[in-house]
Amino acid sequence: MSEVTIPADAPRPVPPAPARAPQQEEGVRVVIEQVLVAFILAFIFRAFVLEAFVIPTGSMASTLLGAHMRFTCSDCGWHFHVNYPTDAATQSAPSYAQQIYAIRCPNCGYRFPPVIEEDPEKDAAAPAVSYGDRILVLKHAYLLQEPQRWHVVVFKNPSRGGEASGHLPSWSTEPYQQNYIKRLIGLPGETLMLVDGDVYVTTAQKTLAELRPADFQIARKDDVAQSALWRAVYHDDFRPQGCSREYLHRERTFRDPPWQMPWRTGAGWSVNPGGAGGGFDFAADGVAGALRFDPQANPDTFALTDFLAYNINANNQLFHREPPRTDTFERDFRPTFTYPEGPFRFNSVSDLRLAFFYEKSAGDGPLLLRLTKRGDVFEAEIRDGMVRITGVSADNQPMFGLEAPVEGDFSRPRYVEFINADYRVQLRIDGRTVLETDDADYAPDVESLVRGEHTPAREQRPEVSIIAADQEAQIRHLSLWRDVYYTARDQLGNFTNPYASPYDFPSNIVRLNEGEYFTLGDNPFLSGDARGWTDGIHLEHEGGLALDGGRVPERFMLGRAFFVYWPSSFRPGPRFPAIVPNFGEMRFIR
């Protein structure tokens, strides 16, 4: 083989670049692609699967909280929330309120002084404002499952604008752009109305003129929804500890009446002085004694009515203050319940839940629990090994009598719940339903209820009592709760809401066609909802959709609210922003 000579001036071959450079470029390209894919997936996930929303108003309180103020009673320790009205245009609220509020504890009636020097966060002067709950919504969940009554749903506002005004907010140029959250009450094909705090529906194939109240049946809440809709009346675990109810204001002293125990003790009963959760003791042979709840013991708690402490604030029309004066504490700081047009109307609520721990240390006598509703009397009898519930009508006729065995005795504390809600009477022991009525046992007289809605007379508050005999027993952690009260009346008791009203039956009841829904807020007096949406829906460019007012069309439904992932935050200290998550309030939405 001949030797090849390379000239000296010939170009030399360039050695290949190290392999590391293309690998680095490839790595950067992969990272960019992954980031882009992540963003795309996030947008797709948000658009079609899950989206976060913020609750701006108090229309769903106390299930979900909008902007609000927090208070903890200095006397009994009860923790509660009070609405703060957000700006209608921006849905925003300041970090601190700018006025003094007339605040009373709903559990014990304690009046919050305007200024508490030792704990400024508890006073009623310029309290801190917390923002609304942040929730997750399953978008398009109803493509896979039909919407169910009592679901909490998110949808586009069908009323062309602001919740209260019915007009477009300043930031919106198009109708039907606001997202609303309410509880789903009426389903397609149903005709419904609100009577005595409950929802009544019918699917009878009759014209509206042919319908009669007897065609309607009560729409009972399932256990999941009902658990979210109980409102506390009084909880003995938060028994007041005797704080002074004297208030010094502008060099004058004012005195509120002292707190009184609302559970009145009869023969054999005594109040255990053990403080919060101390409960009550019974000891008597051959004598029956009653522990009776007195709703008038502390009038400022408005017990056994649809009063809701969340609605107390100076800007809420529910509680107008009288014109301020500089010489009296009462006019400056005491809430009033009178409009120029007349007094505010509270509705009596007799759908109740009585709950406590019961332990019997001696004797074989029974424990009787008694609730009343419109003159009907319901009793639960509890003995070792056996329980029984009975009902007697207002005209003294037996309605039902059910009994069942119960395992074990009551020599150890056992949790007892006696419930009358939505015309269903239940007795639960240790969280398990042992007895429950059905429509054959107990059902509403709808004809009578509709007639009653036209009369000015109001139902008397129900009676609640615990009766014991021939035993030594202890009642601990006693609490009383009332159900949500849905009404078509306004705060003065007038039927101003045009939809779902029993007034002038059947003129104002609502019939839902295919693809139409009816929604309500869990806080009826602070909710703009289907009861008052008078604007019809007209979408000429979307198939000519046209609906009467008070309906939510199926295409407006965005999804089901299912989880509070960021409850309204806490402040780490006075005058700090609210940045500490309230992890204890993270919860599924029921």
Side-chain angles (χ1 to χ4, degrees):
M1 178 180 297
S2 60
E3 183 177 349
V4 178
T5 302
I6 301 176
D9 58 349
R12 302 286 181 176
V14 179
R20 186 166 48 186
Q23 289 177 353
Q24 290 177 340
E25 294 174 1
E26 179 70 14
V28 172
R29 183 182 64 80
V30 169
V31 170
I32 293 175
E33 288 180 352
Q34 290 176 342
V35 171
L36 290 176
V37 168
F39 272 108
I40 292 171
L41 290 176
F43 281 117
I44 293 175
F45 191 78
R46 180 182 182 274
F48 296 101
V49 182
L50 200 67
E51 186 172 354
F53 291 87
V54 180
I55 306 299
T57 72
S59 67
M60 284 294 292
S62 302
T63 308
L64 298 170
L65 303 178
H68 63 278
M69 300 170 287
R70 293 192 182 99
F71 295 95
T72 299
C73 180
S74 299
D75 200 358
C76 73
W78 185 256
H79 182 67
F80 62 102
H81 309 95
V82 173
N83 177 68
Y84 188 88
T86 55
D87 183 85
T90 64
Q91 299 293 303
S92 63
S95 295
Y96 284 85
Q98 301 302 313
Q99 50 192 311
I100 298 174
Y101 291 89
I103 303 296
R104 283 186 179 270
C105 172
N107 189 61
C108 72
Y110 174 81
R111 188 212 312 246
F112 281 65
V115 177
I116 303 176
E117 297 290 348
E118 62 275 15
D119 191 353
E121 292 293 303
K122 285 187 178 180
D123 64 33
V129 177
S130 299
Y131 303 125
D133 291 331
R134 289 169 168 81
I135 67 170
L136 295 177
V137 175
L138 288 172
K139 301 192 72 175
H140 307 295
Y142 296 129
L143 295 177
L144 305 175
Q145 178 194 26
E146 291 294 325
Q148 302 295 310
R149 194 186 333 272
W150 310 119
H151 281 184
V152 178
V153 297
V154 176
F155 53 93
K156 291 298 182 183
N157 171 24
S159 189
R160 296 181 61 86
E163 181 164 306
S165 67
H167 299 290
L168 288 176
S170 59
W171 49 264
S172 178
T173 58
E174 296 292 335
Y176 317 129
Q177 295 302 304
Q178 283 181 300
N179 295 324
Y180 270 17
I181 182 167
K182 307 289 179 186
R183 194 171 293 274
L184 184 58
I185 300 298
L187 302 174
E190 293 182 340
T191 305
L192 73 146
M193 62 180 175
L194 305 175
V195 184
D196 191 34
D198 294 319
V199 179
Y200 287 82
V201 301
T202 182
T203 55
Q205 299 300 309
K206 299 180 179 180
T207 66
L208 291 181
E210 295 172 336
L211 282 174
R212 296 294 179 265
D215 294 322
F216 287 76
Q217 294 182 326
I218 190 168
R220 293 188 174 92
K221 294 179 282 293
D222 57 49
D223 290 342
V224 173
Q226 184 65 78
S227 66
L229 293 172
W230 290 119
R231 311 295 187 228
V233 176
Y234 171 75
H235 202 309
D236 196 51
D237 283 5
F238 297 86
R239 186 184 298 176
Q241 301 301 298
C243 285
S244 171
R245 302 209 172 195
E246 291 188 355
Y247 307 92
L248 179 64
H249 179 64
R250 296 190 176 98
E251 300 182 353
R252 293 185 59 187
T253 299
F254 299 86
R255 293 179 178 86
D256 277 348
W259 177 81
Q260 297 186 48
M261 166 59 73
W263 287 100
R264 306 300 196 185
T265 54
W269 286 98
S270 61
V271 178
N272 188 293
F280 306 86
D281 298 329
F282 179 83
D285 291 330
V287 176
L291 185 65
R292 181 179 60 85
F293 185 79
D294 180 5
Q296 301 290 348
N298 302 288
D300 288 309
T301 64
F302 304 96
L304 303 182
T305 72
D306 58 346
F307 164 79
L308 189 64
Y310 191 89
N311 296 332
I312 304 172
N313 75 45
N315 287 343
N316 188 331
Q317 63 176 348
L318 190 62
F319 287 87
H320 278 315
R321 290 188 301 173
E322 294 181 35
R325 290 172 50 180
T326 59
D327 58 340
T328 65
F329 179 84
E330 290 296 315
R331 285 187 178 272
D332 284 349
F333 302 113
R334 185 179 182 87
T336 61
F337 304 95
T338 302
Y339 288 120
E341 299 88 352
F344 178 80
R345 172 183 170 129
F346 287 113
N347 295 292
S348 175
V349 181
S350 51
D351 282 15
L352 304 175
R353 170 176 170 255
L354 179 64
F356 56 88
F357 282 89
Y358 170 47
E359 180 180 7
K360 183 161 58 174
S361 54
D364 59 358
L367 185 75
L368 296 178
L369 314 177
R370 180 176 295 165
L371 300 174
T372 69
K373 180 181 177 70
R374 294 186 168 274
D376 299 334
V377 180
F378 307 100
E379 287 188 347
E381 179 183 346
I382 301 174
R383 295 179 181 268
D384 291 341
M386 187 276 293
V387 293
R388 176 180 174 85
I389 59 175
T390 59
V392 177
S393 66
D395 56 359
N396 207 32
Q397 297 298 311
M399 301 168 64
F400 60 85
L402 307 173
E403 65 178 52
V406 60
E407 294 182 1
D409 56 21
F410 290 84
S411 59
R412 61 176 178 83
R414 302 186 69 176
Y415 191 53
V416 177
E417 298 169 273
F418 189 38
I419 301 169
N420 177 24
D422 297 344
Y423 287 85
R424 177 176 56 192
V425 180
Q426 294 176 299
L427 179 64
R428 296 179 180 176
I429 306 293
D430 296 331
R432 184 176 67 88
T433 300
V434 293
L435 286 172
E436 181 179 48
T437 62
D438 57 21
D439 281 335
D441 302 314
Y442 179 41
D445 180 353
V446 188
E447 293 272 5
S448 176
L449 291 174
V450 170
R451 287 197 303 271
E453 292 281 2
H454 291 73
T455 62
R458 291 187 290 175
E459 178 194 358
Q460 294 184 347
R461 299 186 197 184
E463 297 178 9
V464 184
S465 56
I466 302 173
I467 304 166
D470 296 324
Q471 60 183 291
E472 293 182 9
Q474 297 81 43
I475 299 291
R476 298 291 184 265
H477 306 292
L478 177 60
S479 62
L480 182 62
W481 308 77
R482 59 96 173 169
D483 194 10
V484 66
Y485 193 94
Y486 293 120
T487 177
R489 295 179 183 269
D490 65 11
Q491 293 91 330
L492 294 174
N494 301 317
F495 285 112
T496 58
N497 292 305
Y499 299 116
S501 167
Y503 186 74
D504 194 23
F505 182 92
S507 301
N508 301 305
I509 60 178
V510 170
R511 169 158 289 174
L512 301 172
N513 298 313
E514 190 66 28
E516 298 178 2
Y517 297 90
F518 193 86
T519 61
L520 295 176
D522 286 352
N523 184 5
F525 284 128
L526 204 62
S527 175
D529 50 39
R531 296 170 299 171
W533 290 334
T534 55
D535 296 335
I537 297 175
H538 303 283
L539 298 177
E540 297 178 359
H541 302 294
E542 295 189 30
L545 177 67
L547 274 70
D548 293 334
R551 282 82 169 165
V552 178
E554 186 174 24
R555 69 176 67 184
F556 279 25
M557 299 280 281
L558 299 181
R560 180 182 181 184
F562 85 102
F563 191 70
V564 180
Y565 74 94
W566 192 284
S568 52
S569 304
F570 284 108
R571 287 171 167 78
R575 303 302 167 183
F576 277 81
I579 58 175
V580 179
N582 185 5
F583 292 112
E585 290 298 320
M586 295 175 66
R587 63 196 183 276
F588 288 98
I589 298 171
R590 297 174 292 183

